Amino acid sequence: MNIILLSGGSGKRLWPLSNEVRSKQFIKLFKKNNGEYESMVQRVYRQIKSVDENANVIIATGKSQVSAIKNQLNDKVSVCVEPCRRDTFPAIVLAVAYMRYELGIDENECVAVCPVDPYVDTAYYEAVERLEKLAVNGSASLYLMGIEPSYPSEKYGYILPMSSKEVSSVKEFKEKPDTAKAEKYIEQGALWNAGVFAFKISYLLDKAHGMVDFTDYRDLYEKYDTLTRISFDYAVVEKEQSIKVMRYSGEWKDVGTWNTMSEVMSDVTKGNAALDETCVNTNVVNELDIPILCMGCKDMIIAASGDGILVADKERSGYMKPYVDKISTDIHFAEKSWGTYTVIDAQPGSMTVKIELQKGSSMKYHAHEHRDEVWTIISGYGKTIVDGMEQSIKPGDVITIASGCKHTITADTDMSIIEVQIGEEIAQSDKEVFTLDR
Amino acid sequence: MNIILLSGGSGKRLWPLSNEVRSKQFIKLFKKNNGEYESMVQRVYRQIKSVDENANVIIATGKSQVSAIKNQLNDKVSVCVEPCRRDTFPAIVLAVAYMRYELGIDENECVAVCPVDPYVDTAYYEAVERLEKLAVNGSASLYLMGIEPSYPSEKYGYILPMSSKEVSSVKEFKEKPDTAKAEKYIEQGALWNAGVFAFKISYLLDKAHGMVDFTDYRDLYEKYDTLTRISFDYAVVEKEQSIKVMRYSGEWKDVGTWNTMSEVMSDVTKGNAALDETCVNTNVVNELDIPILCMGCKDMIIAASGDGILVADKERSGYMKPYVDKISTDIHFAEKSWGTYTVIDAQPGSMTVKIELQKGSSMKYHAHEHRDEVWTIISGYGKTIVDGMEQSIKPGDVITIASGCKHTITADTDMSIIEVQIGEEIAQSDKEVFTLDR
């Protein structure tokens, strides 16, 4: 099957683990059978491949997520990066063009579009595969997945099908309702709109050509900033007459808050945490390397990362955003294409960072205008290039990099480095990238 | 007045701020008028000096606290260090001998002995001064302070006075009772035993000479390990017939647990912390430089340091010890005579530490057998001596110290250093101290 995964958003609803650069789909909270943890994007990718190992998976995303995706999925997936932020219709068109023109997939094949963030089991992706097959063989132009509601939620849009058959024409779409209206919709047999669509590649490319003239993916990419911001629902779904919905009744959960996330955590705690026997319905996620001890906590979520510590009543944690907006400080943790970056000390005039590089990865060749850097290698082997001079490095080696000095590192094994930055104006943006002439 | 402050103990009841090397009296939780925070030992010292600026204050303590005392009180106070741990009677005798023979105080003068850790106001030290004057002029050999009880506590010993006069002979001592007994004692006019005693210097030296033969402080110091472990209560108080108690009714609180400590915290939070408006009776003490956000917390204490994070119901926090015993890991924060030492990253084969030196201070000239160290100066000026070679240092300088290499640093201004330790066996105990030939 062909799947486009929409990996958007960045947010603070799972602060301090999610932040402006780390979206919730990259937080490793799900335990695999082998005991290791995986993120939502890793879980989804694994689930899709277990249903169809030949699936073409494309992740449609923005620039800020590319490093995290590459770090978590390596080069397994195709990543289609929006050059600037538009809405879901342009993003999906770009990804479909990528499939057609870069991957060379026939325009008579179908594709399914799925959000990356619902918590589901593999049966869901079997349903997605069925949906895609319907689009290939069926009579309608557009197929949607409708989730059988488990309660009258105010958080989702509703789809009213014509019949209660597994696949049915659509009578009407309903915006997010209040609880009373939701109850009424459910009585009428309505389904939640899961944001999952399947259609022929040619179908969407035709729609797109109606809005913008382009010859192939690269051409569309160049013209991307001229596209109107418009959602897929508004541009396509609501206007389409030839549309059917397939119902799905398996597990499907939105895990966008700590309260819902804690329901699907396989263990009560992750990381270095202890709960006394008087704790009730309390979850701890600890990314710090110091222990957390909880005593007498009731219905709470405690989450700690280099960015901060949340101690919240589970119900209240859903209202976190305005508070996080107020207190949020510099981001202390980031995933890079080469590994991770963790601030371990920050003060005026200096910042100390733990850099962890994955075996085989390299930083870009770059320089900083306003800061000196001192690297102390604490584990692993590799080589540095500093102002054109190449040098092998090993644990205990110290590399001093004055401001203006071009530098990079390549990790021959997994490596850990303590980087001390010194300068009056330390900023992420103080970075110029150069081409390495070799 | 002459005061001996007993600064004993180390403990985990205020974990993660107190630990094996940081006793609760060194935690800076009390706000001064100028907005700065002070520790219990700093507060007590300031209170005593505000009552009598000429007071001779001696702190009787063990080796592990000397660095913290010097760091917090500089050279203001005399510190009398037990060469090995005995009980309160030997410790008090040693401190009295120090007063007599090292400070040259006349043996007809009196001295008051006080524990360092009750939370009181200055009126308490005015009462201690009165108690000492009673000992100078009064008829009894030993004077005690009795606190008028505010509730039938099970935590204190009780003193039954002969009368309800301000100063009275003692009828009887009672061990820590259960609540019912405590109520009965209080009906009989009993007072809490505050552990405050006043007596003539000669009185105690005579008692001491009855147990061990010594000529002066240094001689007693040499013989200290031969002394029997015995408490002052058992060795002196319970045997003395000529004993009176002076009642005190001002503020007096034991702040040995987070629950009681939070009652006397001037602010609800200390450090980088935010509480939403649904939090009730919740205190936060945050020594980390990342923010803590609390939402919907009721009757809780949240305390965070480099050693760990406590999230506890206030009442439950009193039962912390067995849990802390189980989870406690390496100590990540220590006060040294030259400043502070904070572990900011620890992993197999390396440890990264932030070292903060006070202006004018020096480390001992020392070497490590099993680790290399890399110092990056992040702020301040000073000089290092590495294997006899002296060098001026400034921000950005890097000093590499191979294992076996003798080294020290002197801070000309306040200084901050990031120290990266690299070695297979990193241990606090891996340290040999040398004399610097100059």
Side-chain angles (χ1 to χ4, degrees), chain A residues 276-277 316 323 345 354, chain B residues 276-277 316 323 345 354:
Chain A
D276 82 343
E277 65 276 15
R316 276 297 294 162
Y323 301 94
D345 184 63
K354 181 160 68 166
Chain B
D276 82 342
E277 64 276 13
R316 277 296 296 163
Y323 301 94
D345 184 65
K354 180 159 70 166

Side-chain angles (χ1 to χ4, degrees), chain A residues 332 342-347 350-353, chain B residues 289 344 354 378 416 418:
Chain A
H332 280 203
T342 311
V343 175
I344 55 176
D345 184 63
Q347 43 194 301
S350 81
M351 188 139 90
T352 304
V353 180
Chain B
D289 60 2
I344 55 177
K354 180 159 70 166
I378 58 176
S416 296
I418 300 295

Side-chain angles (χ1 to χ4, degrees), chain A residues 121 126 182 231 296 338 359 375 396 433:
Chain A
D121 52 27
E126 287 162 7
S231 75
W338 37 258
K359 177 179 174 175
W375 286 350
V433 172

Side-chain angles (χ1 to χ4, degrees), chain B residues 128-168:
Chain B
V128 170
E129 196 175 33
R130 285 201 302 282
L131 193 76
E132 203 179 312
K133 280 186 181 143
L134 284 173
V136 175
N137 306 314
S139 54
S141 299
L142 186 62
Y143 285 81
L144 274 69
M145 192 139 91
I147 309 291
E148 295 199 351
S150 50
Y151 70 99
S153 173
E154 302 182 347
K155 288 191 299 181
Y156 310 117
Y158 284 73
I159 303 169
L160 278 168
M162 294 290 247
S163 79
S164 60
K165 282 193 282 188
E166 198 206 345
V167 181
S168 160

Side-chain angles (χ1 to χ4, degrees), chain A residues 15 274 276-278 288-297 300 302 304-313 316-317 319-320 323-324 327 329 332 344-347 350 352 354 356 374 376-378 396 398 400 416 418 420 422, chain B residues 15 274 276-278 288-297 300 302 304-313 316-317 319-320 323-324 327 329 332 344-347 350 352 354 356 374 376-378 396 398 400 416 418 420 422:
Chain A
W15 184 89
D276 82 343
E277 65 276 15
T278 66
L288 299 173
D289 60 2
I290 56 175
I292 295 181
L293 171 60
C294 297
M295 302 187 71
C297 295
M300 296 192 77
I302 293 104
S305 81
D307 283 358
I309 300 163
L310 172 73
V311 179
D313 173 76
R316 276 297 294 162
S317 70
Y319 304 91
M320 195 194 312
Y323 301 94
V324 176
I327 62 160
T329 55
H332 280 203
I344 55 176
D345 184 63
Q347 43 194 301
S350 81
T352 304
K354 181 160 68 166
E356 300 194 285
V374 177
T376 304
I377 313 302
I378 58 177
V398 178
T400 57
S416 296
I418 299 295
V420 182
I422 296 161
Chain B
W15 184 88
D276 82 342
E277 64 276 13
T278 66
L288 299 172
D289 60 2
I290 56 175
I292 296 181
L293 171 61
C294 297
M295 303 187 71
C297 295
M300 297 194 77
I302 293 105
S305 80
D307 284 358
I309 300 164
L310 172 73
V311 179
D313 174 77
R316 277 296 296 163
S317 69
Y319 302 91
M320 194 194 312
Y323 301 94
V324 176
I327 62 161
T329 55
H332 279 203
I344 55 177
D345 184 65
Q347 43 193 301
S350 80
T352 304
K354 180 159 70 166
E356 300 194 285
V374 178
T376 304
I377 314 301
I378 58 176
V398 178
T400 57
S416 296
I418 300 295
V420 181
I422 296 160

